[in-house]
Amino acid sequence: MNGNAILLLPMIFPILAGFIIGFQKEEKQRNTLVFIAMALETALVWFLCMGDYTLEAYRFTERLTIAYHTDGLAKLFACLISTIWLLAAVFAMEYMKHEHKPARFFMFYTFSIGALMSLCFAQNMMTLYLSYEFMTILTVPLVIHTGTPEAVRAGMKYLGYSIFGAGLGLLGFFFLNTYCETTTFIAGGTLNMTMVNGRENMMLVVFFLMAVGFGCKAGMFPLHAWLPTAHPVAPSPASAVLSGIITKGGVIAIIRVTYYLFGADFLRGTWAQYAVLTLAVITIFMGSMLAYKEKLLKKRLAYSTVSNVSYVVFGLMLLSPVGFMGALLQVVFHAIAKNILFLCAGAIIYKTGKTFVYEYKGLGKEMPIVMWTFAFASLSLIGIPPTSGFVSKWYLAQGGLAPEIGALGMTGVVILMVSALLTAGYLLPIVTDAFFPGKDYDYGSLKKKEPNLLMTVPLVLLSVAVVLFGIMPTPLTEIITNISGMIF
Amino acid sequence: MNAFATLLPVIFPIIAGIALLPVKFKSRKQREMWVLSIVVLNAVFALYAIFGAGSPYVTLFTFNSKLSLALHVDGLSKVFGTMVSILWIITTIYAFEYMTHEGHEDRFFAFFIMTFGVVIGIAFAANFLTLYLFYEFLTLATLPLVMHQFDNKARHAGKTYVIYMMFGASLAFIGFVFIYCFGTTTDFVMGGVLNRNLVAGNEDVLRLVFVMAFFGFGVKAAVFPFWRWLPKASVAPTPVTALLHAVAVVKSGVFAIIRLIYYSFGTSFLIGTWAQNVVLIAAAITIVFGSTVALRTPHVKRRFAYSTVSNLSYIVFGVALMTPAGLGAGLLHMVYHAVIKITLFFTAGAILYKTHREYLYEMEGFGRLMPITFATMTIAGLGLIGVPPFAGFHSKWALATAAVNSGNPVAYIGIGALIISALLTALYIFYIVVRAYFPREKTYPEGYYDHVSDPNKYMTVPLVLLAIVSVIIGIFPEPLINFLNNVALGIL
C-alpha cells in the first residue's frame, strides 16, 4: 500500500455496507441504512474529488498492480455516478415495496457502486479490467432479480455478452502489456513506438477489437443485443442505473483505451478510427429505428439507450477536442435523462401496472409530476433547447462537420438529425397522449395516482438538473475542457 | 540414505496398497486411521524427497547403457510432486465421508493409495523408460477406481478408459523408440537429448514422430481428438474424478508432454516448425471444444469433466509455445487448475452425496440451503473464468503474455481461443450458480428439498480449505510465479 489509503474507502465501504443491508429484514430500518450508506458514499466521493489522491493499493506482480488516481476524467464520472446512484436508491425504496426480496436487491445495488467507483478511479489497465468484471458480476443479480425464467435468460445473456466484451478488452490488454511503455493511464497514450514500428496494423486490429469489446457494455453494434433484453426485465430503478450508468462503464473503458493508452495521435486518420465511427453511426440509426417500432415502454427506452450511448462513442472517435466535449456532455446528459425516463416508467408500473405505450392515455392528469418530468427528459433526449441535450448535440454536430473527418462525419451528423427526429417520434406521442387523451376520453374515471415523495423528489431533482445544465452548461464545459486539454 | 529417500515415496504406497488389499477392517474408524496415516506419511516422505534430500540420481536397475530404471528429482518433479502430495491428503479426508455411500471402501482405498505411489513415480522418473513404466502402471492402478461400481455403465467406461490409454501409450512408445535411436541418452535433460548428427536429414520424420508421441501422451491430457474417455470416466466416485481426472492422471499426461517437448526432443528442434503449429492448433481447438460441450452438458460432473478437457489444453497450449515463459505459464495454470477443479468436483460430489441429484436442473434453489457448497463453487468458478484477483486470472494472463511475446501468429489463434473459452466458462459455471440461487419455480413438488443441506465437516473442511488456498494463490501469486519460472528456465 502506497499513497492515500483514503482512496480505498469508496470501494470498500459499499461492500461492507452491502453486507449489513443484505441482512436487514425490517423495511424502515433497511431503507434508513441504504440512504445513510448512499449519502455517505456520495459525500465521500465528492470530497475525494475536491482533492488530488493517488494510491497503489496492491501489487500482484511487477506489471500487475491495483492503483487508483483521481484525475479529471475520474472525478467527472465518479461524481455523476455516485449522485445518480443515490437518487435512484431513494426511488427504489418505494418501488421495491412491490417486488420480493428487497434486501437482496439493495445488497447488490450497494455492492455495485463500489465496483463502479473502482472503475472510475482506476489508474491502470489491470484495475480497470478487474473493476469491469466485478461491475458485470455484481449487477447480474439486479437483472435477474425477479427470478422469472425470462429474467434468468436475460441475465445470462447479459453475463455472456459482458464477459465476452471484457474478454476482447483483456485480449487487447495482453498486447498492450507488451507494446506499451506501461499500462498505467497517461494522457496522450503510452505506446512504445519503436516496438510498434512495423506492426501498426496489428495494433489497429487490437484497438478495434478492444473498442468493440468495451463497446459491448455501451450497447454498440454488433454486441448490442443483450441490452434490450436485459435492461427491461430488471426492476425499474435497476433498469435506470443499468441504462444510464452501467453503459457508461463501457464508455470510461473506451476513453481510457483510446486516449490514455493508444493515444489519439496514433489512431487519427486510420481505418480503425473510421471502422469504429461507422459502427457507432450504424448503432445510432438502428437503435432509434428499433425504439420507434417498439411498443413496450421499457424496451423502447432500452433501444433508445443503444442509440444514445453510441452518440458518445461517435463523439469520442472523432478524436478532436470538440467531439470529446460533445461526447462527455452527452455522457452526463444522457445519464440524467435516461434515468428520469426509466424511473418514470417504474413509477407508472408501480402505480398503474401499465407497461405498453398505448395504455398511457390520460396519465398526465393522473400523475402530473411524473409525466412532466418525463416530458422534460424527452425534450432533452431529442435535443430541444433550453434542455441540456441540445448542448451536447451541438458539440457533436460541430465535431462531426470538421473537415478532416470527411464524408463519414457528415453522414454521422445527418444520422444524428434523423435519430433526433425518430427520438421525437418515439417519445413525444407518449407525452401528448398522457396530457391530451382526446375528446372521447372518459375524464370521470381519472383518479389521483401521483406516487409519494420518495419517488417524485428524485425525479424532480433530476429534471431540474436537465434544465439547469441546458441553461448554464459553462461549469461543465470548463471541466471537460480541462480534461481534454491534457489529452490533445 | 538420500537415494532411499527418493525411492521411498514411490515404493511405500505401492507396497502399503497391496498389503491393504486382503485386509478387512473392523470399523470405519480403524480404516480411516490407517489410510490417513499412510497417505500423510507418504506425503511427508514425498515432500522430504523433494525439498530435503537434495537431488540424487537413483538408478534402480540397468538394462543397458541407454536403458535403465532411474529416479531423480528436478524442478518439474518438485512442482508436480508437491501439488499431488498436498491435494492427495485433502482428497483422502473428503473421500472418507463420500465413500460411505459408494461401498467397497477397503478395495477403493487400497488402490487409491497405490496410485499415489505411481503418480509420484511419474513425477520422479529420470528417464523415458521409467516414465513409460509408471505411465502404464497408472492406467492399471486407476482402472479399478474408475470401474468401482461395477455396473454396466462403469464397466463400459472402464473398457473405453483402457482402450484409449493403451492406444495413447503405444503412440508414446514409438516416440520412445525414436528417442532411444536418435538421442544421446534417454535421460531427461532440459533442452533435449537429440543427437544432431544422427538427426540430420531425418528432421521431418522425427517431427512426425514427435507429433505422434504428443498425441499419445495427449490421450491422458484429453487433447482433441482423444478426449472421449474423460467424460465417460466421470462415472467413477467423485474423489476419483476430482483427484485423478482433474489432477493426477490428466496432469501426468501434461507432465509427460512437458518431458517430451522440453527434455527429450528439445524446443530448439521444434520451435517454429509445422510440428509446433499442429500442436498449438490442436490445443486451441480443444480449448474451445471442451468449453462448448461443457456448456451443453446438463450433468454436472460431466460438465466439469468437459471443462477439464478445455483447461488441460490451456496448459498444453502454454507448454507448446516452447518458450520458458510459455512453460512457466503452463505450469502456473497446472497448479491453479488443480486447486480449482478439485474444489468444483468436490462441490458436485457434496450435492450428489447429500441429495443424489446429478443434473443441474435438479439443483435449482439449493444455493441457500447448501451455503458453504455453493459459496465455494462460486469462488472456484470465478477463478476458473479468470476474474481477477481470483486464481486463474494470473495463469491466463501469463499464458497470453507468453503467446504475444512468442510472436508466432498461430499462437494468436490460441489467445482468441482463451478469450472465447473464458466466455463459455462464465456461462457454464454461472448457469449452475444462478439456477441455484434463483430457482425457476416458486414452489417445487413435495420432497424436492429433502436432505438438501451442507454435508458434515469431513466434506466441508476440505472444500473451505481449497477455496481459501485458491484465493490466496490468486492474491499472492508472485512467489509461485517466480518459482515456476525458475523451473521453466531450468534453474531448479
Side-chain angles (χ1 to χ4, degrees), chain A residues 60-334:
Chain A
F60 288 103
T61 59
E62 186 63 40
R63 302 274 306 203
L64 299 179
T65 55
I66 303 287
Y68 297 105
H69 176 51
T70 53
D71 67 348
L73 189 74
K75 287 176 185 174
L76 178 68
F77 275 93
C79 291
L80 173 77
I81 290 173
S82 60
T83 312
I84 292 185
W85 213 262
L86 169 67
L87 292 174
V90 173
F91 181 94
M93 288 174 192
E94 178 67 19
Y95 186 86
M96 291 311 287
K97 276 181 190 158
H98 89 160
E99 295 272 356
H100 73 306
K101 294 187 180 163
R104 184 179 67 194
F105 176 86
F106 281 112
M107 178 165 82
F108 283 103
Y109 188 85
T110 317
F111 285 159
S112 305
I113 186 72
L116 276 163
M117 287 304 114
S118 173
L119 183 73
C120 291
F121 290 129
Q123 197 194 7
N124 58 30
M125 194 63 201
M126 173 70 193
T127 319
L128 181 95
Y129 175 71
L130 183 144
S131 325
Y132 200 82
E133 291 283 32
F134 271 96
M135 176 174 77
T136 304
I137 290 166
L138 292 176
T139 49
V140 166
L142 298 180
V143 173
I144 47 183
H145 183 78
T146 55
T148 57
E150 189 199 1
V152 171
R153 254 200 310 281
M156 292 309 287
K157 196 169 174 184
Y158 169 54
L159 183 76
Y161 271 89
S162 299
I163 297 265
F164 181 63
L168 286 179
L170 183 64
L171 182 141
F173 182 20
F174 295 144
F175 281 87
L176 291 177
N177 181 47
T178 302
Y179 291 97
C180 278
E181 306 274 0
T182 157
T183 52
T184 301
F185 300 134
I186 293 171
T190 67
L191 276 188
N192 182 336
M193 282 307 168
T194 42
M195 292 228 11
V196 171
N197 201 3
R199 293 204 176 85
E200 282 87 355
N201 252 321
M202 186 184 83
M203 290 316 284
L204 289 176
V205 172
V206 167
F207 170 77
F208 179 70
L209 289 178
M210 287 184 96
V212 170
F214 286 128
C216 172
K217 258 279 184 330
M220 190 172 75
F221 178 83
L223 295 179
H224 64 281
W226 64 274
L227 199 155
T229 319
H231 286 180
V233 299
S236 289
S239 331
V241 291
L242 280 168
S243 234
I245 303 292
I246 301 286
T247 50
K248 307 302 187 299
V251 171
I252 299 177
I254 292 180
I255 296 178
R256 292 297 192 189
V257 169
T258 312
Y259 292 98
Y260 292 80
L261 288 176
F262 280 92
D265 294 331
F266 177 73
L267 299 168
R268 196 172 287 117
T270 61
W271 65 264
Q273 182 197 359
Y274 298 127
V276 181
L277 268 178
T278 313
L279 288 183
V281 171
I282 293 174
T283 319
I284 292 172
F285 182 69
M286 184 191 67
S288 290
M289 213 55 196
L290 290 170
Y292 187 73
K293 287 173 64 181
E294 180 60 49
K295 293 286 178 261
L296 192 66
L297 178 62
K298 278 176 81 177
K299 207 156 184 179
R300 178 177 280 194
L301 294 178
Y303 279 122
S304 159
T305 299
V306 170
S307 165
N308 276 282
V309 179
S310 275
Y311 287 24
V312 181
V313 180
F314 175 76
L316 289 177
M317 281 302 126
L318 294 173
L319 300 176
S320 66
V322 184
F324 188 78
M325 169 73 77
L328 283 199
L329 286 174
Q330 173 75 6
V331 165
V332 178
F333 301 154
H334 172 254

